[in-house]
Amino acid sequence: MRASVLFLAAALARFTQAVTPLVIKDAGFFSNDEQFFLVGVGYQPGGPVELDQGVDPFSNLEGCQRDVYLLQQLGINTIRTYAVNTTLNHDACMSLFAAAGIYVVLDVNAPGWRYSVNREEPWTSYHAGYMANIFSVMEQFSPYPNVLGFFSGNELANEPKNANATAPYMRAIQRDMRQYQQAHKLREVPIGYSTADVVEFRQDLGFYLSCTGDDEGHSDFYGINSYEWCGDTTFEKSGYKTLTDLMKDVQMPNFFSEYGCNEVLPRTFGDANAIYSADMNTVFSGGIVYEFNQEANNYGLVDVDPKTGDAKILPDYVTLRDVYSKVSLPTGNTARKISRPKCSDVFPKIKAFDARAAIPQIDDITKLIKTGVKVTAGQLIDVDLDLTGHKWTITDVSGNQIQNPTITRVNTWNQVPQGAQTTGSNDSKESKNAAVGTKVGGGHTALVFAMAGLTTLGMLVGGLLVI
Ligand SMILES: *[C@@H]1O[C@H](CO)[C@@H](O)[C@H](O)[C@H]1NC(C)=O
Ligand SMILES: *[C@@H]1O[C@H](CO)[C@@H](O)[C@H](O)[C@H]1NC(C)=O
Ligand SMILES: *[C@@H]1O[C@H](CO)[C@@H](O)[C@H](O)[C@H]1NC(C)=O
């Protein structure tokens, strides 16, 4: 291991912070003892293409450098990524996001019939091969301390008529994921589900996924993809008040896993103000705006030319940056107390679908949970934040090229200060990382942290902040 030098820099971005693994307490996410609100955007450069061409969102360092710069300037602390390919190496990009103080909520599914559930006939797609890919995502990404959570599924039920067929699979997949986590002693990254905002079942599905039963199939959190707030509207008129009232009764943390209606253009993102306000912040832990990259569906903030890597900032980026720059996150703890119901109490009351249907269980999957999957576990590495060699260009909304973009480092790791504490044990996997952070300064402004990484020698060394 190299000599110890603590690299310290102050963050400019307001919400970025040490990427200490978050934990859930009551209905909130916490970093150490401080409540965490997701201020995010969806991030899937290249769009939802099949990931068999040797690239995915975290495999191309040049692209990640450009986007981490843009995301940090946007003022976010979280991205949601919809699909990755674990045959690729993600250490450099994930380290770059970690260095910039950005968390990732990751969907464990991927496009293609082998890697996702067929919502009309889920029994045809739920098998050991399908779960093997999910387990490999967990093995590879759990060691990164900035992985905030895993989505077991996204909009598996998207209309009332497929809720019956799909709901038992949501619990089955979450059960398998949780059992895998325990069997292989992975970091207990929270496992949740991202639902479509379908009025007929959004609350009932929340009840269904929140309850604890014999199957360990519950969600740790519930994301909702909601496009109700369109144009110039209000908390009451948009439907957000109704949604908040419904989700208040769902006994787990909630957040917007997608938001940002584009039916009225240009978007003004007025809902961002509502989401973090007292009207909603006891129920929702923030949200994720859909989405960073421009695609045919026209939700993008930035238009990237896939050939050259050149990026154009779109007007919505500027609007969202201004909105996020004025949002004030709640101070103190606003997470409501929750108490998880028992499934046996909840299921008889669910009207939207047959909640009492059996949860599928497949022997090959049970075996796979025991034997495990082979994949390279991720780890944070030294990463160069210097952008001077970049080949891409970024132009602003007026067409001017941005000069000397720089990324601000918020976190360091694998730096071993003199007298560092040993906090770990030897029984963990070789690349399992943990992080400790010590906050300096107040509010959400100048945060400086040190992190600890587990070296390949298997010794966890706690990084202590020296300033
Ligand atoms: C990952 O890439 C490999 C090699 O191209 C491919 O065989 C595999 O199907 C891809 N996995 C996913 C999840 O797309
Ligand atoms: C869902 O299953 C229940 C119980 O079997 C049934 O009564 C209901 O009609 C089904 N709903 C749909 C939309 O198929
Ligand atoms: C790790 O293993 C080494 C060698 O077996 C031992 O000396 C050390 O005390 C162990 N450390 C911890 C934290 O268990």
Side-chain angles (χ1 to χ4, degrees):
M1 181 170 272
R2 293 195 303 116
S4 60
V5 181
L6 267 186
F7 186 107
L8 299 172
L12 299 174
R14 293 194 313 144
F15 302 134
T16 54
Q17 56 164 38
V19 288
T20 310
L22 297 182
V23 294
I24 288 174
K25 222 173 54 187
D26 302 323
F29 293 86
F30 288 82
S31 160
N32 298 320
D33 283 330
E34 206 176 325
Q35 195 178 357
F36 179 88
F37 287 83
L38 290 83
V39 182
V41 291
Y43 181 71
Q44 189 73 27
V49 292
E50 295 208 14
L51 300 175
D52 56 2
Q53 304 301 313
V55 269
D56 78 1
F58 301 122
S59 67
N60 166 6
L61 183 58
E62 275 259 319
C64 290
Q65 287 174 324
R66 175 198 59 225
D67 295 343
V68 167
Y69 163 75
L70 285 163
L71 290 162
Q72 202 176 44
Q73 293 299 315
L74 185 58
I76 56 124
N77 61 20
T78 306
I79 55 171
R80 173 183 184 177
T81 291
Y82 292 82
V84 291
N85 188 322
T86 57
T87 64
L88 304 170
N89 188 305
H90 301 119
D91 289 347
C93 279
M94 285 301 290
S95 301
L96 197 62
F97 280 94
I102 297 173
Y103 284 91
V104 180
V105 199
L106 187 61
D107 286 73
V108 295
N109 292 275
W113 60 271
R114 294 194 299 285
Y115 306 121
S116 56
V117 171
N118 174 342
R119 59 164 69 93
E120 307 307 330
E121 303 178 312
W123 51 92
T124 62
S125 37
Y126 176 67
H127 49 70
Y130 164 74
M131 286 308 301
N133 182 58
I134 291 184
F135 296 152
S136 78
V137 173
M138 296 174 71
E139 285 273 5
Q140 186 168 81
F141 280 82
S142 299
Y144 299 123
N146 56 328
V147 172
L148 183 162
F150 291 126
F151 283 122
S152 61
N154 179 57
E155 303 196 359
L156 216 47
N158 66 349
E159 45 184 344
K161 74 175 164 54
N162 51 32
N164 264 356
T166 52
Y169 289 87
M170 298 172 198
R171 283 194 77 99
I173 293 164
Q174 293 184 159
R175 172 203 59 208
D176 298 343
M177 290 175 71
R178 194 163 278 116
Q179 287 179 354
Y180 193 93
Q181 218 167 38
Q182 287 159 6
H184 299 273
K185 298 192 167 55
L186 298 179
R187 175 163 74 84
E188 291 189 5
V189 175
I191 296 167
Y193 176 79
S194 176
T195 187
D197 187 9
V198 179
V199 292
E200 288 88 343
F201 64 69
R202 60 190 178 184
Q203 191 190 34
D204 268 353
L205 188 61
F207 292 152
Y208 177 77
L209 293 173
S210 67
C211 71
T212 53
D214 299 333
D215 65 11
E216 301 179 276
H218 61 277
S219 297
D220 292 321
F221 60 85
Y222 197 43
I224 185 154
N225 298 342
S226 180
Y227 293 88
E228 292 189 39
W229 187 298
C230 304
D232 189 15
T233 182
T234 64
F235 177 56
E236 282 81 13
K237 277 191 243 154
S238 62
Y240 273 24
K241 183 175 188 321
T242 307
L243 184 61
T244 306
D245 289 341
L246 293 172
M247 291 305 137
K248 195 177 357 192
D249 292 336
V250 172
Q251 301 296 300
M252 58 183 160
N254 299 293
F255 60 86
F256 286 83
S257 39
E258 286 176 9
Y259 76 95
C261 170
N262 70 354
E263 275 168 29
V264 181
L265 292 172
R267 297 198 283 179
T268 50
F269 302 107
D271 35 357
N273 294 314
I275 290 170
Y276 301 97
S277 76
D279 285 336
M280 298 180 73
N281 66 28
T282 58
V283 176
F284 292 96
S285 299
I288 296 169
V289 164
Y290 188 79
E291 67 172 329
F292 183 74
N293 286 91
Q294 180 69 318
E295 294 182 54
N297 58 12
N298 198 29
Y299 284 92
L301 306 177
V302 171
D303 196 1
V304 176
D305 180 331
K307 288 209 189 76
T308 59
D310 294 343
K312 267 199 217 108
I313 291 175
L314 300 176
D316 280 7
Y317 175 99
V318 178
T319 311
L320 184 61
R321 185 184 60 196
D322 291 349
V323 169
Y324 274 164
S325 76
K326 291 184 196 111
V327 155
S328 46
L329 297 187
T331 52
N333 180 349
T334 65
R336 71 196 193 286
K337 297 276 179 243
I338 49 173
S339 116
R340 294 225 172 222
K342 281 208 177 64
C343 293
S344 52
D345 294 336
V346 165
F347 288 171
K349 296 180 194 143
I350 288 178
K351 298 278 183 291
F353 53 92
D354 179 15
R356 280 181 274 197
I359 310 267
Q361 178 128 36
I362 290 182
D363 287 346
D364 282 353
I365 296 178
T366 311
K367 275 189 214 136
L368 185 61
I369 291 171
K370 290 211 183 74
T371 54
V373 296
K374 280 207 166 46
V375 64
T376 312
Q379 60 176 331
L380 294 185
I381 57 170
D382 269 345
V383 67
D384 193 359
L385 270 57
D386 182 7
L387 301 183
T388 48
H390 65 81
K391 296 186 190 74
W392 38 257
T393 60
I394 300 174
T395 46
D396 67 16
V397 281
S398 332
N400 299 318
Q401 193 169 322
I402 291 180
Q403 303 300 322
N404 307 317
T406 50
I407 297 171
T408 303
R409 184 184 283 272
V410 185
N411 294 298
T412 59
W413 54 86
N414 277 348
Q415 319 279 359
V416 192
Q418 289 295 313
Q421 291 163 288
T422 300
T423 54
S425 68
N426 286 347
D427 64 358
S428 38
K429 295 184 144 14
E430 61 169 329
S431 64
K432 193 177 282 185
N433 279 284
V436 291
T438 310
K439 191 163 82 115
V440 173
H444 291 282
T445 46
L447 308 185
V448 185
F449 295 89
M451 294 175 56
L454 192 65
T455 70
T456 47
L457 298 174
M459 173 77 84
L460 182 69
V461 181
L464 295 182
L465 184 78
V466 181
I467 199 160

